[in-house]
Amino acid sequence: MLELNWLKTFVTLAQYQHFGKAAAALHMTQPNVSLHIKQLENNTRVKLIERNPFHLTQAGERLLLTSQETLMELQICQGDLNAINDLSQGTLTIAASDIISRLLLISPFQLFKTQFPGIDFSLLNTTSSQASELVKSAQADLGFVIAQKESQPLHFTELQQIRWCALGDNLALWQNAKQQPERELESEPTLILLGHDTRTRDLLDSALSSLDLPQYRIMEVGSVDAQIDWAEAGFGVAIVPDFSISSKRNLKTQVTPLPEFPTTSLGYIVRQNQILSKAIKQLLKWVDEEIIRSQNR
């Protein structure tokens, strides 16, 4: 009979490919990690890993696949049982990007801590694509994402339509220069955008031609806040979601709505057929109320 603790140790060791790092991740001693692997190999009667250099055997690769699936199903099962029992203790794990968490989740989380003091929540700061993977693998109970397509095994619920705006003073000047080639600009236009590893950037790239700009440069930054700061400092024009500046009262540069840019959705994802606990349902209600407040500011 295979012990779950052995499988957890094996999966973690396969991830880190190092006994010491696996032991640290599992809060175990290195000898105990070795003991779990030895017990697993003795029980299965096959060699699962080669130690020097470290790699999984063919049997180890097969066991890794089934172990990951088994542990994920058990995690999903535990989450459903917690939801049925109206989880009042434990941990609620949320995956969301930095901009979504700071603008929409802080106030709901404060209410959550007051009403559900026995539940800790863990916030995973990540991209929308990574949040989807975390929810799919049951490493997160709930994900807040931008532009999630309905796909197995996830269910997406829209909370808000996102529109886009340009933050920066020179957009109209650049567009006029495109219409009047005889007018020379002092320098090439600079658009301040998120990096290519974000779903937001994927959406924007296909719409940039609608700005009708002359040849331009792109400055890539890691967050929407960084986009706003660099645009405010005069380094270019940032293309950002309109909700990201709704709470900014002291902007110095011009804000230009971009109605020609395609709208997209902000919402939350859960696994299909996932049972939502009373705590999660209440958190989603507070998030919805926070979105309404932000739209009315």
Side-chain angles (χ1 to χ4, degrees):
M1 186 71 176
L2 300 184
E3 294 283 343
L4 284 177
N5 285 337
W6 301 347
L7 295 179
K8 289 179 182 177
T9 301
F10 173 70
V11 169
T12 305
L13 180 60
Q15 176 186 353
Y16 287 96
Q17 299 188 11
H18 188 280
F19 280 83
K21 292 178 181 179
L26 292 164
H27 305 290
M28 295 170 58
T29 64
Q30 189 167 327
N32 276 340
V33 172
S34 297
L35 177 61
H36 279 193
I37 299 304
K38 182 178 179 180
Q39 289 170 322
L40 190 56
E41 288 183 327
N42 288 343
N43 196 272
T44 58
R45 299 194 180 107
V46 293
K47 191 173 184 62
L48 299 171
I49 66 170
E50 296 289 351
R51 286 168 169 74
N52 191 20
F54 183 95
H55 67 275
L56 298 182
T57 64
Q58 184 177 0
E61 294 282 2
R62 177 60 182 171
L63 181 62
L64 177 62
L65 179 62
T66 54
S67 296
Q68 289 172 325
E69 293 173 350
T70 298
L71 293 174
M72 186 178 74
E73 289 298 326
L74 285 172
Q75 191 168 344
I76 290 172
C77 179
Q78 184 63 61
D80 285 345
L81 291 175
N82 289 341
I84 291 172
N85 291 327
D86 279 335
L87 176 68
S88 58
Q89 292 186 336
T91 301
L92 178 63
T93 303
I94 309 293
S97 69
D98 178 71
I99 188 66
I100 293 175
S101 61
R102 285 189 304 98
L103 291 181
L104 300 179
L105 301 184
I106 290 179
S107 179
F109 277 2
Q110 289 173 326
L111 294 171
F112 186 92
K113 286 182 63 177
T114 300
Q115 184 156 330
F116 301 97
I119 303 178
D120 293 327
F121 60 79
S122 175
L123 179 63
L124 304 178
N125 189 344
T126 183
T127 65
S128 289
S129 296
Q130 291 167 339
S132 299
E133 291 303 315
L134 290 168
V135 174
K136 187 185 299 183
S137 63
Q139 296 179 64
D141 302 291
L142 183 67
F144 290 92
V145 300
I146 290 176
Q148 171 68 43
K149 293 181 180 179
E150 189 76 23
S151 62
Q152 294 282 353
L154 300 176
H155 177 72
F156 174 75
T157 300
E158 181 182 295
L159 292 171
Q160 179 183 3
Q161 277 283 302
I162 295 177
R163 293 174 174 78
W164 304 94
C165 62
L167 177 64
D169 292 331
N170 294 320
L171 183 62
L173 175 65
W174 298 344
Q175 290 172 322
N176 288 337
K178 176 67 179 294
Q179 301 300 324
Q180 303 173 32
E182 68 278 5
R183 296 184 58 179
E184 292 189 6
L185 297 173
E186 292 183 5
S187 60
E188 206 171 45
T190 299
L191 294 182
I192 306 171
L193 305 175
L194 290 178
H196 275 92
D197 59 342
T198 62
R199 185 171 289 159
T200 301
R201 177 63 182 278
D202 291 340
L203 292 168
L204 291 181
D205 279 345
S206 61
L208 291 179
S209 60
S210 66
L211 293 176
D212 201 24
L213 298 178
Q215 184 175 352
Y216 57 83
R217 297 174 297 185
I218 290 179
M219 175 180 178
E220 292 188 348
V221 295
S223 70
V224 174
D225 259 358
Q227 286 183 274
I228 293 172
D229 288 344
W230 284 105
E232 284 282 273
F235 284 86
V237 170
I239 310 299
V240 296
D242 58 359
F243 77 86
S244 67
I245 61 171
S246 61
S247 61
K248 307 285 186 182
R249 301 302 181 192
N250 300 308
L251 292 175
K252 298 178 294 183
T253 52
Q254 184 176 353
V255 177
T256 306
L258 299 175
E260 66 275 19
F261 272 47
T263 59
T264 188
S265 300
L266 182 152
Y268 67 87
I269 50 170
V270 294
R271 295 179 301 280
Q272 289 186 0
N273 303 318
Q274 179 180 344
I275 299 172
L276 299 184
S277 66
K278 175 183 176 182
I280 289 181
K281 290 178 181 177
Q282 183 59 64
L283 176 63
L284 290 171
K285 182 174 182 292
W286 285 326
V287 170
D288 199 39
E289 291 171 353
E290 180 65 17
I291 287 173
I292 294 172
R293 278 194 294 272
S294 70
Q295 291 173 335
N296 292 331
R297 285 173 186 155

